[in-house]
C-alpha cells in the first residue's frame, strides 16, 4: 500500500472562472480608473470557531500566539519577551475559560465543527491545542494574576461549585468583588468531578485548575446545601447578589412502569457512586438507556468495573444508593461485564461524541439504536431481570423529540443492572421559588432570574448542556452581576457574545497611543485619534468560508493526539487515561493550519499583488497584530485585487459606500 497522501481534486479554489469578465456585484464596479470608488478597509470579524464556542474563547487569538503570528510583548529592554509564548497563549485562552486542561479532554468541541478549514480538508485540532496549553500551565505551576482593581466591597453568593459557579466566581473576583461558593459536596467541581469518570478528567488536573480560582481569594462553604443547611433569606441578608449554579445532578428515572425496581438506577447516582469509590463492581449484564455522552461514560465505567462471580445480587444497587461500599480487597478476581447501550436514535444519529462511540464499540460495548424502553421485567423478588424495548423511529422536531413506537417489535434484554441516562434534573429543595414549573430556572439574556432582582443563574439550571456552555453562562452572568452591583443598567448583550481580540490593547502593549476622536474625520491616515481604515464588527458578524480566498491554503494533514484504544479484555480494570497530549512541535504545526478567519495573519498577498503599490506594510515600530498593512488612498484605484487575494477575508471593499 502506498504511503503517499494524494491531494483531493476539490482543493482547487478559484474566485473567478475562465471567461468571467465582470465583477460579481455592481457595487464593486470601478466607474473610473483615475480615482477610487471602492477602497479596502480592514474588518475584524468573528471566526466561526469562536462563534460556535459556548464559552466564547478567543480561539483565533491563542492559535495565532502558538503559531507565532502574534508576538509576546517585550519588556523594558525592548527585546526580551515578558513571558514564554505558551504562557501568553494560555492567559489569552483563560480570559474566557479557566479550565483548558479539563475542557481539552472532555469538550466535544463544537468549535471544530464550525471551523472553516473543513472546507479545505479537515478542521483545526483546536481542542488538542487547548489541551496542550492546559497541560503546560499545570506542569509549570502557572497561576492567575490577582486583579489590579480596588475591592468593590460587594459580596456575591454562588450556589453550586460546578463549572458555571466556578466560572462566575472567577470572573467576578477579577472584577474586584468578594465571592463565596456554597456547595453541598465535600469537593468542588460539580459534574466535572461527580459526573465524569476520573480516567477522562484526572482528579489532579481538575484540582489544579480549581485551586487557581480559589487562590484568587474565592471563599467556599462546602457540605452546605442552601435551602436546607442555610436559608435563602439568610443568603439574601448577607450578600448583595446571588448566582444559581446548582447544576442538574439528580438523574431522571425511566418513564415506564416498574422503573422503581431497586436495580434500576439513574446515571448520576451510578457515576457518583463510582467517583466516590463506593462502587467497585457491577452485575454480569448491564443495560444503559441513553445515547448521549453520559450514557457512554456509564457504559465504559461498567465495562472497566466488571463483575465478580459470587457477589450478592443486591451489592451494586446498595453501593449506588450509598448504603454500603464495596471492599476492594474482596474483588481481585473480576470478570468482564456484558454491557449494552440502547438509544432511540440510530447509532449514526446518537448525540454522544462520535469518537467516544467508536471507543465504546472497540471495547466490546453493544450499542443498539432505534430502541425505546417500554417496560421492566421483574422477578419474584421485585428486582428487574430484563429491560423490555421496542423498535422505534425518532427525530428532533423544533428541539423536541418526536418518537414513534413500532407495534409488535417488543423484545427483552436481560439485565442485572439497568441504568437510566436519559437526562438530569435540578434539586430545588428549599429553593422552590425559582422552579419555573418545568424543573428549570427562567432567565433573560443577561441571565437575570425572571422577577428576581439581583438573582442570576447559569448552567444546567437553565438547560442541561455542555460543560463549556455552563462556563459561558457564568462569564456572561458575571458581567450582568458586575453592572448590577455598580448600579448600572444591564446593557443589551451583543449579538455575538464572546471574548474578542482587542486591537486597542495590542497597540497599547506596543506603546502606541490612540486618542479618542472629538471632531469629524475626513479619512486621514495621519492622525492618532483613530485606527486608520479599521472596523471591529466581531460583535455582530461571523465570517463564512465563502468570504475567504481558500485557494491560498494547501492540503495539510491534521496532527492527531495519540489515543489508547482498548478492547474487551484490556478495558477490564483499566482506569488509565486514554488521551495523549500533542508535543510542542505538533501544537505549533496544528496552530499553523488555522486560517485566521477575519483577521490578518501577515501573508503579504495584498502587498505583493497590488498593481498600484497602494498597499504597503506598516512601519515595524508601529506594526502589531491587526495592523500589519495600510493603504495609500491617493494611489488606490479600487481594483479590489487585494480583497480577492486576502485569504482571511480581513480586507473588504467598503470605503466609498
Amino acid at each position: 500500500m502506498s504511503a503517499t497522501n494524494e491531494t483531493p481534486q476539490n482543493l482547487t479554489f478559484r474566485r473567478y472562472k475562465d471567461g468571467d469578465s465582470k465583477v460579481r456585484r455592481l457595487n464593486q464596479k470601478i466607474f473610473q480608473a483615475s480615482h477610487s470608488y471602492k477602497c479596502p478597509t480592514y474588518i475584524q470579524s468573528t471566526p466561526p470557531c469562536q462563534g460556535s464556542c459556548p464559552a466564547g474563547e478567543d480561539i483565533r487569538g491563542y492559535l495565532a500566539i502558538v503559531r507565532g503570528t502574534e508576538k509576546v510583548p517585550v519588556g523594558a529592554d525592548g527585546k526580551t519577551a515578558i513571558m514564554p509564548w505558551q504562557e501568553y497563549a494560555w492567559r489569552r485562552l483563560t480570559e474566557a475559560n479557566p479550565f483548558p486542561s479539563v475542557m481539552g479532554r472532555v469538550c466535544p468541541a463544537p468549535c471544530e465543527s464550525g471551523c472553516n478549514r473543513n472546507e479545505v480538508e479537515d478542521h483545526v485540532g483546536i481542542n488538542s491545542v487547548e489541551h496542550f496549553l492546559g497541560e503546560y500551565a499545570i506542569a509549570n505551576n502557572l497561576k492567575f494574576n490577582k486583579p489590579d482593581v480596588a475591592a468593590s466591597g460587594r459580596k456575591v453568593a454562588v450556589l453550586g461549585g460546578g463549572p458555571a459557579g466556578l466560572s462566575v466566581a472567577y470572573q467576578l473576583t477579577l472584577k474586584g468583588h468578594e465571592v463565596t461558593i456554597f456547595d453541598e459536596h465535600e469537593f468542588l467541581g460539580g459534574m466535572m468531578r461527580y459526573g465524569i469518570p476520573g480516567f477522562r478528567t484526572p482528579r489532579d488536573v481538575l484540582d489544579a485548575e480549581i485551586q487557581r480560582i480559589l487562590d484568587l481569594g474565592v471563599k467556599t462553604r462546602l457540605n452546605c446545601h442552601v435551602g436546607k443547611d442555610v436559608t435563602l433569606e439568610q443568603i439574601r441578608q448577607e450578600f448583595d447578589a446571588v448566582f444559581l449554579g446548582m447544576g442538574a445532578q439528580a438523574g431522571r428515572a425511566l418513564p415506564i412502569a416498574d422503573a422503581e425496581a431497586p436495580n434500576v438506577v439513574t446515571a448520576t447516582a451510578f457515576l457518583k457512586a463510582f467517583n466516590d469509590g463506593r462502587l467497585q463492581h457491577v452485575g454480569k449484564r448491564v443495560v444503559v438507556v441513553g445515547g448521549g455522552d453520559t450514557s457512554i461514560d456509564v457504559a465504559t465505567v461498567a465495562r472497566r468495573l466488571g463483575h465478580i462471580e459470587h457477589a450478592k445480587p443486591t451489592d451494586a444497587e446498595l453501593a449506588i444508593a450509598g448504603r454500603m461500599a464495596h471492599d476492594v480487597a474482596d474483588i481481585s478476581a473480576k470478570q468482564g461485564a456484558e454491557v449494552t447501550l440502547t438509544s432511540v436514535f440510530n447509532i449514526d444519529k446518537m448525540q454522544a461524541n462520535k469518537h467516544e462511540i467508536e471507543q465504546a464499540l472497540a471495547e466490546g460495548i453493544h450499542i443498539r439504536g432505534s430502541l425505546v424502553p417500554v417496560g421492566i421485567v421483574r422477578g419474584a423478588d421485585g428486582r428487574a431481570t430484563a429491560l423490555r424495548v421496542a423498535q422505534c423511529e425518532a427525530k428532533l422536531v423544533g428541539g423536541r423529540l418526536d418518537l414513534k413506537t413500532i407495534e409488535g417489535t417488543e423484545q427483552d434484554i436481560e439485565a442485572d443492572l439497568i441504568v437510566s441516562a436519559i437526562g438530569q434534573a435540578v434539586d430545588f429543595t428549599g429553593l422552590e421559588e425559582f422552579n419555573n414549573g418545568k424543573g428549570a430556572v427562567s432567565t433573560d439574556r443577561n441571565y437575570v432570574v425572571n422577577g428576581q432582582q439581583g438573582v442570576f443563574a447559569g448552567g444546567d439550571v437553565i438547560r442541561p448542556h455542555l460543560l463549556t456552555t455552563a462556563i459561558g453562562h457564568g462569564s456572561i452572568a458575571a458581567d450582568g452581576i458586575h453592572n448590577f452591583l455598580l448600579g448600572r443598567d444591564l446593557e443589551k448583550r451583543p449579538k455575538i457574545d464572546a471574548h474578542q481580540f482587542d486591537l486597542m490593547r495590542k497597540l497599547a502593549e506596543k506603546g502606541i497611543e490612540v486618542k479618542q476622536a472629538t471632531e469629524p474625520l475626513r479619512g486621514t491616515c495621519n492622525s492618532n485619534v483613530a485606527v486608520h481604515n479599521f472596523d471591529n464588527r466581531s460583535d455582530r458578524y461571523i465570517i463564512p468560508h465563502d468570504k475567504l480566498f481558500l485557494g491560498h491554503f494547501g492540503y495539510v494533514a491534521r496532527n492527531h493526539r495519540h489515543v489508547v484504544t482498548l478492547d474487551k479484555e484490556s478495558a477490564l480494570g483499566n482506569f488509565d487515561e486514554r488521551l495523549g497530549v500533542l508535543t510542542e512541535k505538533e501544537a505549533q504545526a496544528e496552530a499553523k493550519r488555522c486560517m485566521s478567519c477575519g483577521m490578518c495573519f501577515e501573508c503579504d498577498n495584498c502587498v505583493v499583488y497590488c498593481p498600484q503599490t497602494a498597499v504597503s506594510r506598516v512601519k515595524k515600530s508601529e506594526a502589531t497584530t491587526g495592523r500589519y498593512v495600510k493603504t495609500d488612498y491617493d494611489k488606490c484605484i479600487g481594483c479590489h485585487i487585494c480583497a480577492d487575494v486576502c485569504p482571511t477575508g480581513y480586507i473588504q471593499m467598503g470605503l466609498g459606500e
Side-chain angles (χ1 to χ4, degrees):
M1 183 176 70
S2 173
T4 304
N5 288 325
E6 295 185 3
T7 301
Q9 292 300 311
N10 64 356
L11 287 181
T12 300
F13 299 96
R14 298 181 61 181
R15 199 175 292 276
Y16 299 100
K17 297 180 180 180
D18 292 340
D20 285 352
S21 59
K22 296 182 179 180
V23 294
R24 290 177 174 179
R25 296 170 57 192
L26 183 62
N27 67 355
Q28 292 179 339
K29 188 174 181 180
I30 306 165
F31 291 151
Q32 295 186 38
S34 60
H35 66 274
S36 62
Y37 166 61
K38 289 281 189 181
C39 289
T41 55
Y42 302 96
I43 307 298
Q44 179 180 320
S45 310
T46 293
C49 58
Q50 185 175 12
S52 304
C53 175
E57 295 176 6
D58 183 7
I59 296 170
R60 178 185 60 205
Y62 67 74
L63 290 180
I65 297 168
V66 174
R67 73 187 294 170
T69 304
E70 182 175 343
K71 306 300 182 184
V72 182
V74 296
D77 62 1
K79 297 179 181 179
T80 308
I82 60 174
M83 65 183 74
W85 61 263
Q86 297 95 328
E87 178 179 350
Y88 191 54
W90 173 79
R91 294 196 181 279
R92 178 69 59 80
L93 191 169
T94 54
E95 289 178 1
N97 176 10
F99 301 105
S101 204
V102 171
M103 293 302 116
R105 288 170 163 85
V106 302
C107 182
C111 56
E112 295 179 348
S113 299
C115 177
N116 276 335
R117 184 106 202 178
N118 284 310
E119 297 295 324
V120 178
E121 79 288 82
D122 195 4
H123 62 75
V124 177
I126 300 166
N127 195 235
S128 60
V129 178
E130 180 177 28
H131 184 192
F132 166 80
L133 293 173
E135 291 298 284
Y136 174 89
I138 292 175
N140 290 274
N141 197 31
L142 297 185
K143 302 293 183 183
F144 294 134
N145 295 325
K146 292 197 174 183
D148 186 21
V149 295
S152 70
R154 302 303 180 93
K155 299 166 66 176
V156 181
V158 173
L159 280 53
L166 287 164
S167 173
V168 76
Y170 166 65
Q171 299 289 354
L172 285 172
T173 303
L174 294 178
K175 298 176 189 298
H177 306 299
E178 180 182 313
V179 180
T180 301
I181 299 176
F182 294 80
D183 195 278
E184 62 181 332
H185 298 97
E186 183 181 0
F187 302 102
L188 295 173
M191 292 300 284
M192 292 187 292
R193 183 183 302 277
Y194 296 104
I196 300 176
F199 57 86
R200 293 192 64 211
T201 56
R203 296 307 182 241
D204 57 338
V205 170
L206 178 59
D207 290 339
E209 298 203 313
I210 291 175
Q211 190 59 47
R212 285 199 201 103
I213 297 174
L214 299 182
D215 288 344
L216 289 172
V218 175
K219 299 178 180 179
T220 61
R221 290 181 62 178
L222 303 177
N223 297 311
C224 181
H225 184 122
V226 176
K228 296 178 183 178
D229 305 307
V230 178
T231 67
L232 185 59
E233 187 58 34
Q234 289 174 305
I235 294 293
R236 283 177 163 144
Q237 290 176 1
E238 185 179 349
F239 295 90
D240 301 297
V242 179
F243 176 81
L244 307 177
M246 297 88 72
Q249 296 193 32
R252 293 189 185 277
L254 293 175
I256 54 178
D258 294 324
E260 74 281 359
N263 57 334
V264 180
V265 301
T266 65
T268 53
F270 177 95
L271 291 170
K272 188 176 188 306
F274 166 70
N275 287 320
D276 285 346
R278 298 192 307 272
L279 185 65
Q280 297 287 336
H281 61 83
V282 293
K284 183 177 180 179
R285 298 162 300 185
V286 180
V287 177
V288 185
V289 181
D293 289 326
T294 300
S295 67
I296 296 289
D297 284 341
V298 171
T300 53
V301 165
R303 168 66 80 200
R304 282 158 175 72
L305 288 175
H307 76 286
I308 57 176
E309 191 67 30
H310 303 294
K312 294 179 181 179
T314 59
D315 277 0
E317 55 259 36
L318 288 174
I320 293 170
R323 293 194 290 271
M324 65 167 286
H326 288 157
D327 188 346
V328 179
D330 292 340
I331 58 173
S332 57
K334 287 199 292 188
Q335 301 174 38
E338 297 175 9
V339 183
T340 301
L341 191 159
T342 71
S343 171
V344 296
F345 296 104
N346 290 326
I347 295 178
D348 61 341
K349 300 294 184 181
M350 283 171 54
Q351 294 177 308
N353 187 304
K354 297 298 182 284
H355 169 72
E356 294 299 330
I357 294 173
E358 293 169 359
Q359 292 290 309
L361 289 170
E363 293 177 15
I365 293 168
H366 304 289
I367 301 180
R368 301 180 61 181
S370 299
L371 293 178
V372 59
V374 294
I376 300 289
V377 180
R378 301 179 75 167
D381 59 357
R383 300 177 70 254
T385 60
L387 175 71
R388 183 160 293 165
V389 297
Q391 293 181 17
C392 67
E393 297 175 355
K395 58 183 178 180
L396 290 173
V397 180
R400 292 182 175 272
L401 178 63
D402 181 22
L403 189 66
K404 179 183 178 182
T405 303
I406 302 174
E407 295 184 7
T409 61
E410 292 82 3
Q411 58 181 292
D412 294 344
I413 305 175
E414 294 184 339
D416 299 304
L417 180 68
I418 298 172
V419 184
S420 170
I422 60 172
Q424 292 83 45
V426 179
D427 180 5
F428 281 104
T429 304
L431 302 169
E432 291 83 0
E433 67 180 88
F434 299 119
N435 191 337
N436 63 6
K438 301 177 182 178
V441 175
S442 297
T443 68
D444 64 13
R445 185 171 170 78
N446 288 286
Y447 298 116
V448 179
V449 177
N450 292 353
Q452 299 276 356
Q453 187 179 19
V455 181
F456 297 72
D460 286 353
V461 295
I462 297 177
R463 178 176 65 98
H465 201 243
L466 306 177
L467 297 178
T468 188
T469 303
I471 292 169
H473 287 179
S475 181
I476 294 172
D479 287 342
I481 294 171
H482 177 65
N483 287 329
F484 169 77
L485 293 175
L486 297 184
R488 302 172 182 167
D489 290 335
L490 273 61
E491 74 277 3
K492 184 179 178 181
R493 305 293 305 183
K495 182 179 179 181
I496 303 170
D497 205 341
H499 293 249
Q500 301 289 356
F501 172 78
D502 186 352
L503 180 59
M504 300 301 105
R505 182 173 69 175
K506 202 67 190 172
L507 290 169
E509 288 177 357
K510 187 79 173 182
I512 301 172
E513 183 182 11
V514 180
K515 295 182 179 179
Q516 185 175 354
T518 57
E519 58 185 37
L521 300 179
R522 305 254 177 210
T524 178
C525 60
N526 298 316
S527 171
N528 68 343
V529 298
V531 181
H532 172 53
N533 61 355
F534 167 82
D535 186 15
N536 183 4
R537 298 180 187 172
S538 300
D539 63 343
R540 58 194 184 276
Y541 179 66
I542 296 176
I543 190 163
H545 68 86
D546 58 4
K547 298 298 182 183
L548 313 181
F549 175 38
L550 296 179
H552 177 85
F553 304 98
Y555 178 92
V556 181
R558 186 152 61 93
N559 296 269
H560 291 269
R561 287 173 284 189
H562 175 67
V563 180
V564 176
T565 300
L566 305 175
D567 56 25
K568 185 175 181 179
E569 287 73 30
S570 61
L572 180 61
N574 188 327
F575 296 99
D576 296 332
E577 189 173 8
R578 299 173 310 181
L579 192 61
V581 187
L582 294 180
T583 65
E584 180 178 308
K585 185 176 180 180
E586 288 171 336
Q588 289 179 308
E590 192 58 24
K592 288 179 180 178
R593 295 182 65 247
C594 172
M595 302 193 298
S596 191
C597 308
M599 172 59 69
C600 174
F601 67 169
E602 304 175 11
C603 70
D604 280 325
N605 275 8
C606 55
V607 177
V608 171
Y609 287 101
C610 177
Q612 305 299 123
T613 65
V615 182
S616 61
R617 293 182 185 175
V618 175
K619 289 191 297 184
K620 192 171 183 179
S621 60
E622 300 176 0
T624 188
T625 304
R627 291 304 299 159
Y628 180 70
V629 294
K630 63 180 181 179
T631 302
D632 184 341
Y633 290 148
D634 288 336
K635 294 182 178 179
C636 177
I637 62 170
C639 70
H640 64 71
I641 291 175
C642 57
D644 280 347
V645 299
C646 179
T648 71
Y650 188 54
I651 299 178
Q652 298 184 25
M653 304 305 289
L655 200 67
E657 286 185 321

